[in-house]
Amino acid sequence: MQFKDIIGQEQIKAQLVQTVAENRVSHAQLFLSSEGSGALPLAIAYAQYINCVDKQGDDSCGACSSCRKYERYIHPDLHFSYPFFASKDARIAVDLIDEWRGMLLEDPYFDMDIWRSKLNAENKQANINIAECHDIIKKLSYKAFEAETKVLIMWLPEYLDREGNALLKIIEEPPANTLFLLVANNQEQILSTLLSRTQIVKIPKLPHETIENYLTERHGMPEEQAVEYSFLADGNLIEAKLLLANTQNGNADKFAEWLRMGYGNRVLELTTFVDQAAGWGRENQKNFLKYGINFLRECSLLLSDAEVLVKLPARTLDTAKKLSEKVLDLPMAEAIIQELERAHYHIERNANPKILFLDVSLQLVKIIKFKTLPKGTQYIYN
């Protein structure tokens, strides 16, 4: 994978190239980002650039023997470690290397849910077990076969339990010309002993404009719809691609009308809406609820006099302003967000959508129309 194949992150790419040019490549680095920001593709492109025999000014050549093997993820000095579901047929990560390579070749932007769908998870918990740690130590103790630098890319070290302490010595005192690249989403879940031995590279979310351009230029999406999808994805390219796969759209209009029904206490219309929402399918229901959560967070910024931070398209911004001026106050917005987050949680766990959307609709009436906050919720009014 080359840097040019990665969406956005130009500043990070330049920073990584510069570390190689100035011979400042730390032997253990943690690429820390939120999901869908491209941390894993960046780590792979970085490793390819380091081992490229004909480096260009800002990228690997893509044509040398090393690059060609990196492009197919079959270079003998490129090793991967990742969470998996241990079984008699999959004791260590390399036992699933064909599935892993297939996943990367299909699309290097994926999360744990997508990876889990490619495996036989049954009821097991994914982790990076002690057998995998011992295998890492074993294969990194060998001399490099072809490249100058052996590379281990560990995806989601959060799945290392205390067994991960077995890796501390080799990370602190690695064999010559060995590079550890850890790719993580949640710093708090990583072993502190492991965290203290790595140099952290923070990778920001993708800007909304980057995702908009990706959707319009690569997928021919109309600009207005791309703006809505980029807002819903919130810097997560994986989420944007999932939205592409689910054609249900118009969330902005549907959500605004839902709020109007609640404000008008239009119960018959709400029951009709509930019937429609129940037939959307789980992913579209989740997307709708997530849109509502994001929209109300933007309304909360308006209510907090922070309009400069709001990232809504013009038409939706006008709706948000009217809502914030005439209907909502901050405690109400926070209460509705809480209801939507709870609904999203239960939809993911296969709750009955008809009952769920009816309950949330009635809560909207209570909060918006009658200004009654959920019991047990504490708010301080000005």
Side-chain angles (χ1 to χ4, degrees):
M1 175 169 291
Q2 294 177 275
F3 286 126
K4 69 178 184 181
D5 300 322
I6 298 169
I7 310 299
Q9 305 295 6
E10 301 306 323
Q11 185 176 350
I12 298 296
K13 294 175 189 176
Q15 177 184 324
L16 295 174
V17 168
Q18 189 175 5
T19 63
V20 178
E22 297 177 357
N23 196 25
R24 293 188 295 104
V25 178
S26 176
H27 74 275
Q29 300 181 44
L30 173 66
F31 285 33
L32 185 62
S33 74
S34 55
E35 284 187 351
S37 300
L40 180 59
L42 279 167
I44 297 170
Y46 186 40
Q48 178 169 323
Y49 183 71
I50 288 171
N51 281 316
C52 177
V53 298
D54 187 22
K55 296 179 182 64
Q56 309 300 302
D58 57 358
D59 212 339
S60 52
C61 70
C64 67
S65 173
S66 175
C67 284
R68 290 198 304 271
K69 291 176 182 176
Y70 260 87
E71 293 286 348
R72 293 179 288 160
Y73 312 107
I74 59 172
H75 197 291
D77 297 311
L78 172 64
H79 307 284
F80 289 102
S81 182
Y82 35 81
F84 63 98
F85 304 93
S87 66
K88 63 178 182 180
D89 299 319
R91 193 179 61 87
I92 55 179
V94 75
D95 294 332
L96 296 165
I97 193 63
D98 290 339
E99 290 85 347
W100 176 257
R101 285 173 180 154
M103 183 79 260
L104 286 172
L105 289 167
E106 180 182 334
D107 188 347
Y109 289 84
F110 58 90
D111 57 16
M112 190 61 200
D113 288 337
I114 297 173
W115 172 233
R116 184 185 288 112
S117 70
K118 303 293 181 182
L119 304 176
N120 181 19
E122 298 176 355
N123 292 321
K124 300 174 183 175
Q125 293 290 326
N127 69 346
I128 301 174
N129 58 21
I130 188 64
E132 171 65 5
C133 294
H134 289 161
D135 186 62
I136 289 171
I137 295 169
K138 177 182 175 182
K139 59 193 175 189
L140 292 183
S141 66
Y142 297 146
K143 289 184 178 180
F145 287 92
E146 296 179 12
E148 183 178 337
T149 303
K150 293 173 293 186
V151 180
L152 173 81
I153 297 177
M154 179 179 285
W155 182 59
L156 299 185
E158 298 96 316
Y159 285 82
L160 273 171
D161 291 326
R162 291 189 179 276
E163 292 87 344
N165 288 318
L167 297 174
L168 298 182
K169 183 172 177 58
I170 194 171
I171 290 176
E172 193 165 9
E173 300 176 10
N177 300 321
T178 301
L179 174 63
F180 292 89
L181 297 177
L182 281 59
V183 179
N185 299 139
N186 194 324
Q187 183 174 344
E188 286 72 27
Q189 294 179 4
I190 302 172
L191 289 170
S192 58
T193 48
L194 193 65
L195 200 60
S196 64
R197 288 165 170 79
T198 60
Q199 179 186 78
I200 297 178
V201 179
K202 292 188 176 180
I203 299 169
K205 281 183 178 181
L206 290 169
H208 285 208
E209 295 78 10
T210 299
I211 293 183
E212 286 171 30
N213 292 337
Y214 170 80
L215 294 172
T216 55
E217 294 173 8
R218 300 204 183 188
H219 295 277
M221 180 176 285
E223 184 176 350
E224 185 175 344
Q225 190 174 354
V227 169
E228 181 180 332
Y229 277 25
S230 66
F231 168 69
L232 190 58
D234 190 26
N236 185 340
L237 192 64
I238 298 169
E239 186 69 26
K241 291 183 176 185
L242 288 173
L243 288 168
L244 274 171
N246 293 280
T247 56
Q248 182 79 27
N249 53 48
N251 285 322
D253 293 334
K254 289 185 178 71
F255 187 75
E257 185 59 25
W258 194 27
L259 293 180
R260 292 188 192 103
M261 292 177 200
Y263 181 65
N265 195 16
R266 290 145 49 186
V267 176
L268 289 177
E269 292 180 41
L270 280 171
T271 56
T272 301
F273 170 82
V274 167
D275 290 337
Q276 293 172 349
W280 286 346
R282 193 163 68 107
E283 289 305 315
N284 289 322
Q285 290 162 356
K286 286 165 57 181
N287 290 338
F288 176 76
L289 292 169
K290 186 173 179 182
Y291 176 86
I293 292 166
N294 289 341
F295 175 78
L296 287 169
R297 284 175 178 164
E298 300 295 303
C299 289
S300 298
L301 291 173
L302 290 172
L303 290 164
S304 303
D305 296 323
E307 184 176 342
V308 68
L309 299 176
V310 175
K311 299 176 181 177
L312 286 173
R315 186 168 64 90
T316 312
L317 178 60
D318 185 57
T319 302
K321 284 181 176 179
K322 291 177 181 176
L323 194 65
S324 302
E325 292 168 1
K326 300 178 181 179
V327 179
L328 288 179
D329 58 25
L330 197 55
M332 290 163 64
E334 291 173 353
I336 298 171
I337 288 171
Q338 188 177 63
E339 292 297 326
L340 297 180
E341 286 178 336
R342 187 180 294 117
H344 188 280
Y345 173 87
H346 289 298
I347 285 290
E348 283 191 320
R349 283 150 186 81
N350 294 317
N352 183 306
K354 194 167 184 177
I355 295 174
L356 189 70
F357 273 95
L358 180 59
D359 178 65
V360 178
S361 296
L362 295 176
Q363 293 299 330
L364 284 180
V365 174
K366 287 176 63 178
I367 295 168
I368 301 176
K369 176 65 177 177
F370 298 108
K371 297 180 171 50
T372 303
L373 298 178
K375 187 177 179 181
T377 306
Q378 302 297 318
Y379 293 100
I380 300 174
Y381 287 86
N382 293 326

